[in-house]
Amino acid sequence: MIERTPVLNLVTHAVLFIGLAIAFVPMWLVFVAATLSLQEINTPPISLLPGSHLWENLAEAWTRADLGVKLTNSLIMSVAVAAGKIALASITAFALVFFRFPGRMTAFWLIFITLMLPLEVRIVPTYAVAANVFSPYQTILDVTGLSWLWQQLTGAELALEWNLLNSYTGLVLPLVATATGTFLYRQFFLTVPEELMEAAKMDGAGPMRFFREILMPLSITNMAALFTIMFIYAWNQYLWPLLITTDRTHRGTAVMALRQLIPMSGDSTGGGVPDWNVAMAGCLIVVAPALLVVALMQRFFVRGLIASDK
Amino acid sequence: MADIDIRSVRKAYGKNQVVHGVDLSIRSGEFVVVLGPSGCGKSTLLRMIAGLEAITAGEIAIAGDVVNNLEPRERGCAMVFQNYALYPHMTVAENIGYGLKVAGLSKPERTARVETVAKSLGLSEYLDRKPGQLSGGQRQRVAMGRAMIREPKVFLFDEPLSNLDAKLRVQMRIEIRKLHNRLGTTSVFVTHDQVEAMTLADRVVVMNGGHIEQVGTPEEIYRNPASRFVAGFIGSPPMNLFDGRVTGPGEVQAHGIVLSVPHAGLKPGRPVTIGIRPEEVVLGAAGSNVASIDVDFSEELGSVRLLHGQVAGADFVIQVPATTAGPKIGRFSFEVPARAVHLFDAETGNRIGTAASGARAAA
Ligand SMILES: Nc1ncnc2c1ncn2[C@@H]1O[C@H](COP(=O)(O)OP(=O)(O)OP(=O)(O)O)[C@@H](O)[C@H]1O
Ligand SMILES: [Mg+2]
C-alpha cells in the first residue's frame, strides 16, 4: 500500500519515538547506574551520563551472585522449557487437528482449560506433586483401601515416592505443561491445506513422516516464535524456581540470584549497603541472554512475515 | 496398468448419502472422464478409488484385487490435485522425488529418475526452484511429475486444469492426452467442464446427484443422451428442452407445434420431454416439421452464430454458421429433421429409444 500523508507520517513517527523513549529510559538508567561507583550512585541527583566503573561492577556482580552457575542453570532450564514446549505443543496440536478419534473434543477442552490455570494459580498443588510425583496415585490407593490391602498381603507399607525438588526436571516440567503453544500450533495446522496431507498419503508417507518432513519444516517460523516466547517466559520465572530449589547454590537460577544483589536491610548478603550499581550491573548480565535470543530469532519472524510462498 | 472395478459403491457422510450405488468397469489403459455438475459426488468417487475416503458400502477392485481396506500407498494410484498440493518448502526436484524417497530409493537412483521425468515434462531448468517461484502451468506440470514418477497402475486427476487460464488449459489438456497415449496408464479424470471431457475421454461417465446417468464414448453421449439430464448437460449451447405429449403414432406436439418423430410404439397422450439440439435445425427450409422462431438477439461466436428467441412462447436457441446471410433479428421459419428429435419420458427423464439408442445406464 502506498500512501502519501506527510502529516500522518509525522504524527505516527512522533508516537513511535515517544513510545520508544518510555520503553528505553528505564533501561538507560539501569545501564548508567551500572557504570557508576558506589559513591557516585549515592550522590543525588541521579546522573544521566555513564561513568567509568562498568567492568568492575559487572565483575563484582558476577562473583557475588555466582552468576556463572546461575546463568548456566537458567540457560538449561529455559532451553529445556522452550524445546519441551515445542515438542509437546506440536505433537498435541497434530493429534487434535489431523486425527479423528473418540474423545478428541474432550481432550481439546481439557487442554483449553489449562489456559485458565497458570502456574501461579495452581502453585501449591503443583508443588505437592513435584515433591512427590506419585502423591495423587498414593492418595487414590489410600482412599480406595488398596494400600491397606497391599500391606496386609506383603507386609510392607506401600509408599510411592518420586521427588522432583531440586532437579532440572522439577524446574522444567510444570512450565512445559501448559496449553499456549498447543493453540499456536493448532491455529497454524488448521491453515495447512488438507490436500497436502492427502498428497503425502498418496506419496506413501505415514502420519509421523508427514509430521516430520512436511509439517515441521513448514512451521519453522511458528517454532521460532514459540521458542522465543517460551525461552523468555522460562528465563523470567521467579516464584517457581524459588519454591522448587532448596539447594540454591547449585540449582538456583539467574533471576533468583539477582535478588541477592538487591541491597536490603536485615539481609544476610546486602547488609543494608546501598550498592545499586552492582545490582544494576547484575541486571545487565541477566537480561543479556534474553535479548540475544530475541535478536537472533527476530530474523526468522521477519522472514516468516515476508515470505508468502505457502 | 490395471483395470478398475467399481461395484455398487456407496458413500454416506453420517446420514447424508452422497454416492448412491455406483457400478463402473474401467478397462486397463482406458482414459475415463467423470463429468457432472458441482456437488454430484465425482470427487468423492475418485477419492474412494484413491483410498482417501472410506467406502461406505460396495467394493472397489484395482487389477482384480479388492482395495477397500488398503492404504492409499498400497493401491498403486497416483493423484493430481486441483490446487496441485505441492510441498511448499521443497524444491521441484524434491517434490517430484518425494514418493521415491518415502519408498526408500537411494539418492542417485532418485536423482536419475527425477531428471528423466522432469525432462519429459520440460521442467529440467526449474528443478532447484520452490513451487512458489513457478507459474500455474509449471506447478501443474510438477504435480504431474510427482504422479508419474512412481509409475503407478492408475492415474487419478481431480479437476487438475481448473486453476489455469483458458489457453493454458487447452495446452495442458493436449499434453495430458499425449502423456496418456505415451504411457498408456489407466486414468480417471474428474471435471465439470464438458469440453475437457469430450476431448480427453475414451469414455465419459456422466454423474448427477450421486448416480451415474450414462457411460459412453463422447460421441454416444452427445448423440444419444440417456436421460434428460445428460441431454441438457452436454452440448454448448445446451439442447432445447420442452414439455409436450404424444398425439398420435410417430407424432408429438408441444406449444401447438406438431413434430413427426421416428420413435415407434408411442402411446397417444403420454407426456414427454422433447429435445432438439440448436445445431440440428435447418433454417428457412420448407416441408414437414416446420416451426417459426422470433429471434430477439443473436450472438456471434466466430465460426457460428446463436439465435436466441421464442418458439410459440418457449425459449429456443438455434445455431447457424456465421456466414449465414440475411437479417439477424426477426421471425424465421425452420425445419426440425425427424431424426434430430430426442424424446424423454416426462416423469423419469429416461430416453425413449428409437431403434439403436441405449437406455439409462445407471443401475
Ligand atoms: N467431508 C464431507 N462431509 C460431509 N459432506 C461432504 C463431505 N465431502 C463432500 N461432501 C458432500 O458430498 C457431495 C459430493 O461432494 P464432491 O466433493 O464429491 O462433489 P464434486 O462432484 O466433486 O463437486 P465439485 O465439482 O464442486 O468438486 C457434496 O454435496 C458435498 O457437500
Ligand atoms: Mg470435486
Side-chain angles (χ1 to χ4, degrees):
Chain A
M1 205 158 45
I2 297 172
E3 271 186 285
R4 301 215 181 282
T5 47
V7 177
L8 195 65
N9 278 353
L10 214 66
V11 172
T12 47
H13 275 88
V15 170
L16 270 179
F17 278 115
I18 293 169
L20 191 68
I22 292 173
F24 198 71
V25 164
M27 281 309 295
W28 176 249
L29 288 181
V30 168
F31 174 71
V32 168
T35 60
L36 300 176
S37 70
L38 186 58
Q39 251 116 45
E40 286 165 336
I41 194 150
N42 287 318
T43 331
I46 307 174
S47 159
L48 286 179
L49 292 174
S52 56
H53 300 270
L54 179 62
W55 294 116
E56 54 190 83
N57 287 340
L58 288 177
E60 171 67 16
W62 185 276
T63 45
R64 204 195 294 167
D66 193 15
L67 282 180
V69 175
K70 305 294 159 67
L71 282 174
T72 315
N73 283 344
S74 272
L75 204 65
I76 292 172
M77 168 182 164
S78 303
V79 169
V81 166
K85 193 79 218 177
I86 287 171
L88 185 74
S90 56
I91 201 86
T92 29
F94 179 55
L96 284 177
V97 173
F98 288 93
F99 293 86
R100 303 278 167 273
F101 53 90
R104 194 171 73 103
M105 283 323 279
T106 318
F108 176 83
W109 284 109
L110 280 177
I111 294 170
F112 189 79
I113 284 171
T114 66
L115 275 184
M116 293 172 234
L117 299 171
L119 185 60
E120 287 73 13
V121 173
R122 57 188 161 87
I123 200 148
V124 173
T126 308
Y127 182 82
V129 173
N132 180 6
V133 178
F134 293 129
S135 68
Y137 306 102
Q138 178 80 53
T139 312
I140 291 171
L141 293 177
D142 289 348
V143 168
T144 54
L146 285 176
S147 38
W148 175 83
L149 196 65
W150 178 267
Q151 193 164 8
Q152 296 304 311
L153 290 177
T154 63
E157 193 188 345
L158 182 69
L160 305 171
E161 192 176 342
W162 180 26
N163 181 333
L164 290 182
L165 297 182
N166 245 344
S167 68
Y168 288 124
T169 324
L171 264 178
V172 168
L173 275 187
L175 298 177
V176 170
T178 59
T180 29
T182 310
F183 282 87
L184 194 74
Y185 262 99
R186 182 174 172 269
Q187 285 322 107
F188 169 70
F189 286 163
L190 286 176
T191 67
V192 173
E194 205 169 337
E195 275 94 346
L196 224 50
M197 180 183 60
E198 295 179 343
K201 261 193 203 164
M202 296 304 293
D203 270 339
M208 282 325 285
R209 189 141 196 169
F210 170 67
F211 179 71
R212 225 176 35 242
E213 292 183 357
I214 291 160
L215 279 185
M216 284 298 101
L218 283 179
S219 68
I220 207 102
T221 50
N222 245 297
M223 228 182 268
L226 193 56
F227 185 91
T228 316
I229 295 167
M230 289 317 292
F231 185 94
I232 306 282
Y233 168 74
W235 188 266
N236 290 342
Q237 281 299 316
Y238 181 62
L239 187 55
W240 180 247
L242 209 57
L243 274 180
I244 191 108
T245 53
T246 44
D247 174 12
R248 302 229 167 117
T249 0
H250 294 110
R251 287 284 182 265
T253 64
V255 175
M256 284 163 68
L258 270 188
R259 161 68 185 71
Q260 292 171 333
L261 293 177
I262 296 173
M264 247 194 211
S265 57
D267 196 77
S268 57
T269 46
V273 185
D275 49 358
W276 283 105
N277 50 343
V278 177
M280 290 305 123
C283 277
L284 282 187
I285 298 174
V286 171
V287 93
L291 277 181
L292 204 67
V293 165
V294 173
L296 287 178
M297 288 300 178
Q298 188 204 16
R299 280 175 43 231
F300 287 98
F301 291 134
V302 175
R303 201 191 303 161
L305 291 177
I306 293 171
S308 56
D309 57 344
K310 248 203 39 207
Chain B
M1 278 216 262
D3 50 354
I4 306 174
D5 257 312
I6 300 172
R7 296 189 275 263
S8 316
V9 161
R10 294 172 178 278
K11 177 71 193 179
Y13 292 105
K15 286 219 165 62
N16 179 18
Q17 279 261 350
V18 288
V19 175
H20 307 270
V22 161
D23 283 283
L24 180 65
S25 282
I26 298 169
R27 290 185 292 272
S28 185
E30 199 174 17
F31 199 114
V32 166
V33 175
V34 181
L35 176 66
S38 191
C40 70
K42 323 179 279 293
S43 298
T44 307
L45 183 63
L46 193 79
R47 292 159 54 80
M48 284 195 283
I49 300 175
L52 295 174
E53 209 75 72
I55 300 165
T56 309
E59 263 183 359
I60 294 181
I62 298 177
D65 304 321
V66 175
V67 295
N68 283 32
N69 296 318
L70 293 188
E71 288 287 307
R73 73 189 127 177
E74 297 161 330
R75 299 190 181 195
C77 301
M79 186 150 167
V80 179
F81 294 86
Q82 176 169 3
N83 61 6
Y84 320 134
L86 302 178
Y87 311 122
H89 59 296
M90 295 188 195
T91 63
V92 168
E94 287 167 340
N95 261 289
I96 296 178
Y98 188 64
L100 298 184
K101 184 178 168 192
V102 174
L105 261 70
S106 72
K107 187 125 198 255
E109 208 173 336
R110 246 154 53 203
T111 316
R113 274 174 68 178
V114 167
E115 273 167 10
T116 320
V117 167
K119 193 152 166 248
S120 76
L121 290 168
L123 283 171
S124 300
E125 335 162 26
Y126 307 110
L127 283 177
D128 293 328
R129 292 213 197 157
K130 296 268 174 73
Q133 300 162 312
L134 298 177
S135 73
Q138 291 162 343
R139 280 183 219 181
Q140 167 69 58
R141 262 181 264 247
V142 176
M144 302 264 303
R146 192 168 63 175
M148 278 164 62
I149 194 151
R150 287 183 307 140
E151 293 166 5
K153 290 188 275 189
V154 176
F155 273 132
L156 304 171
F157 300 87
D158 193 355
E159 310 205 22
L161 305 181
S162 57
N163 282 352
L164 302 178
D165 66 53
K167 206 169 160 196
L168 205 53
R169 202 177 314 169
V170 174
Q171 191 187 330
M172 286 308 295
R173 197 169 80 203
I174 294 168
E175 283 188 30
I176 288 179
R177 186 63 226 201
K178 276 189 185 158
L179 193 73
H180 180 258
N181 291 349
R182 185 154 57 85
L183 301 176
T185 310
T186 314
S187 303
V188 184
F189 187 108
V190 162
T191 180
H192 57 244
D193 178 349
Q194 50 169 307
V195 181
E196 254 168 45
M198 301 299 255
T199 50
L200 278 171
D202 293 326
R203 281 195 303 159
V204 178
V205 176
V206 183
M207 277 188 79
N208 182 31
H211 290 285
I212 290 186
E213 291 272 339
Q214 186 173 7
V215 182
T217 63
E219 197 189 353
E220 277 165 15
I221 296 227
Y222 185 78
R223 291 281 151 228
N224 300 316
S227 66
R228 187 172 49 202
F229 171 80
V230 178
F233 192 70
I234 305 283
S236 169
M239 189 183 273
N240 295 296
L241 291 167
F242 41 94
D243 294 329
R245 61 180 60 244
V246 179
T247 48
E251 190 185 82
V252 293
Q253 189 179 336
H255 305 285
I257 295 163
V258 180
L259 297 171
S260 63
V261 293
H263 302 67
L266 292 175
K267 232 200 265 149
R270 177 180 182 183
V272 291
T273 300
I274 300 168
I276 299 168
R277 291 231 179 260
E279 64 274 28
E280 290 188 330
V281 303
V282 185
L283 206 59
S288 60
N289 279 4
V290 169
S292 57
I293 179 170
D294 292 309
V295 177
D296 311 324
F297 71 99
S298 63
E299 271 182 302
E300 292 291 345
L301 297 182
S303 62
V304 295
R305 182 185 303 155
L306 301 183
L307 306 176
H308 295 265
Q310 278 87 41
V311 172
D315 288 335
F316 205 92
V317 181
I318 293 179
Q319 180 179 314
V320 295
T323 49
T324 311
K328 295 177 184 173
I329 304 242
R331 179 166 258 240
F332 301 92
S333 57
F334 63 91
E335 185 196 336
V336 183
R339 53 163 178 79
V341 180
H342 302 260
L343 291 185
F344 304 96
D345 188 279
E347 260 169 46
T348 62
N350 289 351
R351 179 182 187 80
I352 300 171
T354 50
S357 53
R360 191 185 170 106

